[in-house]
Amino acid sequence: VELVESGGGLVQAGGSLRLSCAASGALFSLGTMGWYRQAPGRQREFVAVRASGGAANYADSVKGRFTVSRDNANNMVYLQMNNLKPEDTGVYYCAALGVRVVVGGRPRDYWGQGTQVTVSS
């Protein structure tokens, strides 16, 4: 199972970035996929997820600015980030939650290696 993020970088406050995550090796369409982040000196925190049925949940700090989407046919998940703020700086991790490798297998959580997002003021 592999999750590979891309799209991070340096952007000025008020700018936008789009993160992508390519997933392989499991039945991702049946699980929840999304994003978490970790700022320097802080614990990893929830950002946004979208369930297999389509419902999305967002952290209060990103509501109205970030949008999580997924392409089940291609095992991709995206995070569109608009109106970025310096406090959005951190390493963003793609997450696949409650995913099975095979039908009937035990559900597990999987994580990508992360992509750095830096927002300058």
Side-chain angles (χ1 to χ4, degrees), residues 14-76:
S16 298
L17 282 175
R18 187 189 193 216
L19 305 183
S20 300
C21 173
S24 61
L27 303 172
F28 296 101
S29 63
L30 301 179
T32 294
M33 297 190 70
W35 299 88
Y36 285 67
R37 68 187 179 190
Q38 187 168 16
R42 301 185 64 178
Q43 291 188 335
R44 190 175 299 187
E45 65 176 7
F46 166 76
V47 175
V49 295
R50 188 171 288 276
S52 59
N57 284 307
Y58 296 92
D60 288 343
S61 60
V62 307
K63 282 181 181 177
R65 300 188 297 121
F66 290 12
T67 302
V68 59
S69 61
R70 55 191 293 175
D71 176 356
N72 288 334
N74 293 297
N75 287 336
M76 296 290 295

Side-chain angles (χ1 to χ4, degrees), residues 57-100:
N57 284 307
Y58 296 92
D60 288 343
S61 60
V62 307
K63 282 181 181 177
R65 300 188 297 121
F66 290 12
T67 302
V68 59
S69 61
R70 55 191 293 175
D71 176 356
N72 288 334
N74 293 297
N75 287 336
M76 296 290 295
V77 62
Y78 304 97
L79 185 67
Q80 178 65 44
M81 305 185 292
N82 298 327
N83 190 21
L84 281 160
K85 303 176 181 181
E87 51 263 43
D88 294 318
T89 294
V91 178
Y92 282 68
Y93 296 91
C94 179
L97 309 175
V99 171
R100 292 173 169 84

